[in-house]
Amino acid sequence: MDPLTFDYENLHVRVDRGVFELFPLSGSGMPHTLRVPLRWLGVRVHYKKPDKPGELIFGVVHDPNAALYGTDLAAFRYSSTEAARVPHGDEPLFRAYFTEVAALANRPVV
């Protein structure tokens, strides 16, 4: 199976052989890559205010049965710094990609 990739502005993500990799490109605001087995990946777009872009949060969850996407903030054991700002209108792009990723990992999406 070919890697499952997704690009958004200064961000490149890839799932290959059960491992999720985040590659921040220049100007993304994230200082490092993130590599985690799908079993432990958590992703959330967190909106503090309805009229402002949300913060994209990637990290490692306490429980491998937690939702892979739409992860509750309390479920994160470790979270990376914000990788991108996501306007409300672009959130469905992330949801579609991470729904595919969750299916590969046999994990839920909220």
Side-chain angles (χ1 to χ4, degrees):
M1 179 178 194
D2 290 335
L4 184 61
T5 62
F6 179 70
D7 292 301
Y8 181 82
E9 295 183 357
N10 294 328
L11 184 67
H12 175 78
V13 296
R14 175 176 73 184
V15 173
D16 190 16
R17 292 176 263 171
V19 176
F20 172 81
E21 297 176 293
L22 165 69
F23 300 95
L25 305 175
S26 177
S28 70
M30 187 174 201
H32 55 81
T33 60
L34 175 68
R35 211 180 133 109
V36 63
L38 285 182
R39 176 181 171 102
W40 298 104
L41 176 65
V43 182
R44 179 179 181 93
V45 179
H46 180 66
Y47 293 98
K48 293 180 182 177
K49 297 183 179 180
D51 58 337
K52 301 288 183 187
E55 296 176 344
L56 184 60
I57 300 167
F58 294 94
V60 175
V61 294
H62 292 284
D63 178 4
N65 296 313
L68 187 139
Y69 183 78
T71 307
D72 186 314
L73 292 174
F76 284 101
R77 175 179 1 181
Y78 164 83
S79 64
S80 65
T81 58
E82 68 183 66
R85 296 294 215 187
V86 179
H88 284 276
D90 289 351
E91 190 276 337
L93 300 172
F94 288 91
R95 179 170 295 280
Y97 175 76
F98 284 105
T99 296
E100 287 185 62
V101 172
L104 291 174
N106 198 27
R107 303 238 334 261
V109 169
V110 177

